[in-house]
Amino acid sequence: MILSQTIKCASDFGEAEAIEVIAKAGFDAVDYSMSLIKNKNHPLNSDRYKEYIALLCETAKKSGVCFNQAHALTYIPAETREESHRLLLEKNQKVIEIAGLMGIKTLVVHPVGTGEYIGNEDIIFERNVKYFRALLPYAEEYGVKLACENMWYKDKRVGTTRGSICSNPYEHARYVDETGSEMFVACIDTGHCALAGREPQDCIRVLGKRLGALHIHDNDYRDDMHTLPGLSEMNWDEIAKALADVDYKGDFTLETNHFFDSLNYEETETGLKLAAQIGRKMIAKIENFR
């Protein structure tokens, strides 16, 4: 099983440096965050984006890693919701092309309408199925699977977290089944499960073979901590057993960027080595449970 880490954990040092330090720590692959291209001056927004992709891929190759997974854009500000969704669709079509050129096999995509979900479940479902189907031709063209992620939101009225789109694993499964393409799978974010009042292992078992990607991180069921597995409250033995029980074949991707927020370069190097060791231990648990 491939072990990967999100590039955001070290992107403050520059993308090339982040790739190198992740590889040096013992990871097999890098999860690339397309949110980095929200900066208008980012090279991927220029006419020479293919040259920059080639540079990133060469850096990864020299470092002994690949790009296995990426995160699509999640929101584009606009005057209306409709315009925001139109722009997001347009931008993520380009993101799929970039992912394909980088050799990325799975692109994690947030469904739209997270904060509007309660009371609008059927409308939100139809809107998102339409959105995902509009992206699928690009996914098929560039050989990139789309992975729909389970969501949560913060209810500011009462100051607590609540489930949103795909937080119910049966709804999550329905999205995959309704979209009806082998290029469309589910991504379980373990932290999002907890914030929605769900146990990741339960969601994993419901999704079964539909599960194609992971965002692995720990929290206390209250705050979006994005910390290393084992540093907070989740039951990682049960999560590993659930992944073994459904015969999960995908990659094991850590999205533990907040653990590194206050660390300097040398501390990040040390922290990434610890993260890789924990990731390998988790993979061994999964294999032992098979």
Side-chain angles (χ1 to χ4, degrees):
M1 187 179 292
I2 287 176
L3 176 64
S4 63
Q5 171 67 272
T6 174
I7 196 171
K8 289 178 74 174
C9 70
S11 56
D12 286 349
F13 308 124
E15 291 179 60
E17 287 280 350
I19 293 165
E20 291 168 356
V21 73
I22 290 169
K24 187 177 178 181
F27 288 90
D28 305 308
V30 176
D31 178 353
Y32 189 82
S33 176
M34 296 294 175
S35 66
L36 297 170
I37 71 173
K38 285 186 177 181
N39 179 352
K40 292 182 180 180
N41 296 320
H42 193 282
L44 289 177
N45 291 321
S46 74
D47 292 337
R48 303 178 68 180
Y49 69 98
K50 291 184 179 179
E51 293 179 27
Y52 186 69
I53 290 170
L55 179 63
L56 288 177
C57 290
E58 182 63 22
T59 300
K61 184 178 179 181
K62 286 181 178 179
S63 301
V65 292
C66 65
F67 296 104
N68 70 316
Q69 191 167 293
H71 206 309
L73 296 175
T74 59
Y75 174 72
I76 304 293
E79 291 186 2
T80 66
R81 181 188 65 199
E82 290 73 17
E83 179 66 5
S84 175
H85 289 177
R86 186 191 68 78
L87 290 171
L88 184 64
L89 176 62
E90 182 182 289
K91 290 286 187 181
N92 275 335
Q93 289 168 349
K94 181 68 174 182
V95 160
I96 292 170
E97 177 196 357
I98 292 170
L101 293 172
M102 292 176 72
I104 291 165
K105 299 303 180 185
T106 306
L107 179 69
V108 177
V109 185
H110 282 193
V112 296
T114 296
E116 307 166 305
Y117 174 72
I118 302 298
N120 299 297
E121 290 86 347
D122 292 339
I123 295 171
I124 294 290
F125 180 82
E126 294 300 327
R127 185 188 299 162
N128 275 297
V129 168
K130 182 179 179 181
Y131 169 57
F132 290 131
R133 284 179 174 164
L135 291 175
L136 275 170
Y138 297 86
E140 291 163 356
E141 179 180 355
Y142 291 102
V144 179
K145 287 188 177 182
L146 306 180
C148 175
E149 185 172 358
N150 55 309
M151 303 304 298
W152 66 282
Y153 78 105
K154 185 72 171 282
D155 189 334
K156 295 179 180 178
R157 299 171 302 174
V158 293
T160 190
T161 59
R162 296 189 185 278
S164 185
I165 308 165
C166 295
S167 62
N168 182 330
Y170 293 98
E171 181 185 63
H172 204 170
R174 185 184 171 212
Y175 267 90
V176 177
D177 296 344
E178 184 73 16
T179 304
S181 170
E182 64 180 11
M183 299 301 290
F184 191 80
V185 298
C187 171
I188 277 290
D189 183 302
T190 56
H192 290 187
C193 290
L195 293 170
R198 304 269 180 175
E199 293 294 345
Q201 57 267 29
D202 297 338
C203 297
I204 289 165
R205 288 194 171 92
V206 171
L207 287 169
K209 299 298 184 183
R210 303 174 185 87
L211 183 60
L214 298 171
H215 277 170
I216 295 291
H217 52 104
D218 206 345
N219 67 35
D220 58 4
Y221 293 78
R222 295 180 298 277
D223 294 314
D224 194 23
M225 297 164 66
H226 281 269
T227 194
L228 298 177
L231 295 190
S232 199
E233 302 299 323
M234 293 183 198
N235 189 326
W236 290 97
D237 284 344
E238 287 300 318
I239 293 169
K241 189 173 189 306
L243 289 167
D245 288 347
V246 302
D247 197 26
Y248 175 69
K249 300 291 189 183
D251 300 343
F252 196 83
T253 299
L254 299 182
E255 195 185 43
T256 55
N257 40 296
H258 288 342
F259 175 79
F260 300 92
D261 282 350
S262 63
L263 305 185
N264 63 28
Y265 187 89
E266 290 76 16
E267 291 165 344
T268 296
E269 283 189 304
T270 302
L272 278 167
K273 289 176 183 177
L274 173 62
Q277 290 172 359
I278 290 172
R280 296 291 178 198
K281 183 178 179 180
M282 281 295 304
I283 290 172
K285 280 181 182 286
I286 296 166
E287 298 305 324
N288 287 336
F289 280 128
R290 288 193 195 274

